[in-house]
Amino acid sequence: MNDDTHHDSEEPHSSEQSEEPRSSDGTESEQRGRDFVEDRFDRWWTRFLAKGLDRYDLRTLRSEIETWDEWCEAFAAVGEDHAERGREAEAAGNETSAGEHFLRASMYCHFGSFAWFVDEDRRETAHRRAVELWERAAPYLDPAAERVEAPYPGGADIPGYLRIPPTTPDGLDESPLVILLSGLDSTKEEQHTRASDFHARGVATLSLDGPGQGEVWYTRPMTPDYHEAISAAVDHVTGIDGIDASRLGIYGVSIGGFYAPHVAANDDRFDACVGLAGPFSVGPASLYQSVSMRDGFLHACQVDSFVEADEVTERMTLRGDIEALTAPTLAIAGGNDTVIPPEQTKRVAKRAPNGELLYYPDGDHVCKNRVSQYRPYAADWMLDHLV
């Protein structure tokens, strides 16, 4: 997909032509077998490695998984192997190693369930296990993570992980706070690597699941009013010792790159916003060609048809919010993004009153091939605007 294809378009499509089409009722057009599994490994390989999965484990999984139906439990089984190592390290008093093993175990269970919707009971078992193992790692992380649950009227609370570094930026008594938001197929558990960029700079982080994501999915589907949940979480942590919520940033990835400016436009407490590979308008779910995206929208919206999903996703746009996005906003885009057209992200930078663009012409989706460049830049940019 080139930039001209969607110039000034507000409805993003994907050009992942190697994925088989979906029928209008959401059923597969053919069996997802070995070729589909190989394609998933190709697409997500760098993401797996970035989140700490072991290269040898991945090669073994790739050679052994024959069908998509086997994916979830195969990943979860490897997760249990790492969880056992975590228990052994914990029993020996090796807390740092225990934390590393439990965190890695959580990621295997997460990646077994994150885009796998073959059987909801099996998916839920793996997802809840990922949460349980992450919380097992939480006290051994540096800085340690504390689970918070923010009251949210009309349903279950909004869960998150608050991490406060032991040092603060020069001249401050408490740490600024950055809210971390995930995309369509991710959860708060996957944000630990990005959080580390801020901890190294004395900035606290709060990674959250919102409606349609992670644990909140069980009680609240995807909604155009996503910002209400995140604002409730900010209300909840304001006043906690060690964080200065008057210095508040927000950072979202992929569809989270839409959520971040959406939240900041509706809550003027935010002082800075970063959106990585986010669309200006999510647009109709039915227009996406990527199987993973289409599956993900149906699941997040908790519906069976794209007619119903489109009713939700077509309302997810910055068109009515963008003028209120007065916080400095950094939009990051890759020219080779085949999931969210880069023109969509460029539009955020152009239309935001205080927007700016960080653009990598050869960058892929969420600029995975430019991690060593955009991540320190974005963390420094955020710190400069909060301090």
Side-chain angles (χ1 to χ4, degrees), residues 18 54 67 81 88 110 115 130 138 150 173 185 198 216 225 278 280 330 336 356 362:
S18 65
D54 181 80
T67 67
D81 291 341
E88 292 171 355
H110 164 67
D173 295 327
D185 59 17
F198 293 104
V216 182
D225 298 321
F280 186 92
L330 176 66
N336 289 331
E356 59 183 277
D362 63 345

Side-chain angles (χ1 to χ4, degrees), residues 289-339:
Q289 295 303 308
S290 162
V291 167
S292 299
M293 295 290 284
R294 288 163 69 89
D295 283 350
F297 280 121
L298 291 176
H299 185 261
C301 294
Q302 298 183 12
V303 298
D304 295 322
S305 75
F306 290 113
V307 172
E308 297 169 285
D310 286 354
E311 291 288 334
V312 177
T313 60
E314 285 180 334
R315 295 166 55 204
M316 296 171 62
T317 177
L318 295 175
R319 192 177 299 111
D321 290 339
I322 196 68
E323 297 303 325
L325 181 58
T326 56
T329 299
L330 176 66
I332 307 173
N336 289 331
D337 191 334
T338 61
V339 179

Side-chain angles (χ1 to χ4, degrees), residues 198-268:
F198 293 104
H199 304 152
R201 292 162 173 81
V203 177
T205 60
L206 177 62
S207 303
L208 296 169
D209 286 335
Q213 297 172 315
E215 293 182 84
V216 182
W217 178 87
Y218 298 107
T219 58
R220 293 178 182 271
M222 176 177 276
T223 173
D225 298 321
Y226 182 96
H227 65 93
E228 295 176 354
I230 307 308
S231 292
V234 173
D235 293 342
H236 183 68
V237 300
T238 297
I240 290 179
D241 289 344
I243 62 172
D244 181 358
S246 71
R247 301 175 185 271
L248 188 62
I250 191 164
Y251 190 139
V253 180
S254 193
I255 296 300
F258 162 79
Y259 286 140
H262 162 69
V263 172
N266 283 277
D267 189 332
D268 61 10

Side-chain angles (χ1 to χ4, degrees), residues 25 64 111 286 304 315 353 375:
D25 64 357
E64 293 179 349
F111 284 121
S286 58
D304 295 322
R315 295 166 55 204
R375 273 181 48 181

Side-chain angles (χ1 to χ4, degrees), residues 37-294:
V37 169
E38 289 280 352
D39 185 70
R40 299 303 92 184
F41 274 105
D42 287 341
R43 293 177 185 279
W44 297 329
W45 188 266
T46 56
R47 182 174 176 179
F48 294 158
L49 294 178
K51 302 303 176 179
L53 272 61
D54 181 80
R55 191 180 297 269
Y56 175 80
D57 288 341
L58 291 172
R59 287 173 176 163
T60 302
L61 285 165
R62 183 168 189 155
S63 68
E64 293 179 349
I65 299 175
E66 293 295 331
T67 67
W68 186 234
D69 182 78
E70 300 170 6
W71 178 281
C72 181
E73 282 142 329
F75 269 75
V78 176
E80 292 304 329
D81 291 341
H82 287 275
E84 176 59 28
R85 295 177 194 137
R87 289 188 290 271
E88 292 171 355
E90 190 176 49
N94 300 322
E95 296 183 349
T96 299
S97 294
E100 292 171 353
H101 290 308
F102 286 132
L103 182 59
R104 188 171 294 109
S106 172
M107 287 297 96
Y108 279 101
C109 292
H110 164 67
F111 284 121
S113 64
F114 80 127
W116 188 88
F117 311 115
V118 176
D119 181 285
E120 182 52 42
D121 288 341
R122 291 152 65 194
R123 189 207 70 82
E124 179 177 347
T125 296
H127 168 249
R128 292 195 182 278
R129 183 59 170 155
V131 174
E132 179 183 356
L133 289 167
W134 207 99
E135 293 182 1
R136 191 79 177 266
Y140 306 134
L141 302 180
D142 184 17
E146 176 187 354
R147 182 181 174 93
V148 299
E149 296 185 350
Y152 186 25
D157 294 344
I158 302 300
Y161 300 124
L162 178 65
R163 301 179 67 183
I164 304 174
T167 60
T168 61
D170 289 345
L172 298 184
D173 295 327
E174 295 182 308
S175 293
L177 178 66
V178 171
I179 307 297
L180 297 175
L181 303 179
S182 300
L184 181 64
D185 59 17
S186 192
T187 66
K188 62 188 180 302
E189 284 75 30
E190 200 181 338
Q191 296 304 319
H192 61 95
T193 51
R194 191 161 284 105
S196 66
D197 296 339
F198 293 104
H199 304 152
R201 292 162 173 81
V203 177
T205 60
L206 177 62
S207 303
L208 296 169
D209 286 335
Q213 297 172 315
E215 293 182 84
V216 182
W217 178 87
Y218 298 107
T219 58
R220 293 178 182 271
M222 176 177 276
T223 173
D225 298 321
Y226 182 96
H227 65 93
E228 295 176 354
I230 307 308
S231 292
V234 173
D235 293 342
H236 183 68
V237 300
T238 297
I240 290 179
D241 289 344
I243 62 172
D244 181 358
S246 71
R247 301 175 185 271
L248 188 62
I250 191 164
Y251 190 139
V253 180
S254 193
I255 296 300
F258 162 79
Y259 286 140
H262 162 69
V263 172
N266 283 277
D267 189 332
D268 61 10
R269 289 176 292 182
F270 287 94
D271 302 296
C273 171
V274 174
L276 172 59
F280 186 92
S281 295
V282 174
S286 58
L287 291 183
Y288 288 79
Q289 295 303 308
S290 162
V291 167
S292 299
M293 295 290 284
R294 288 163 69 89

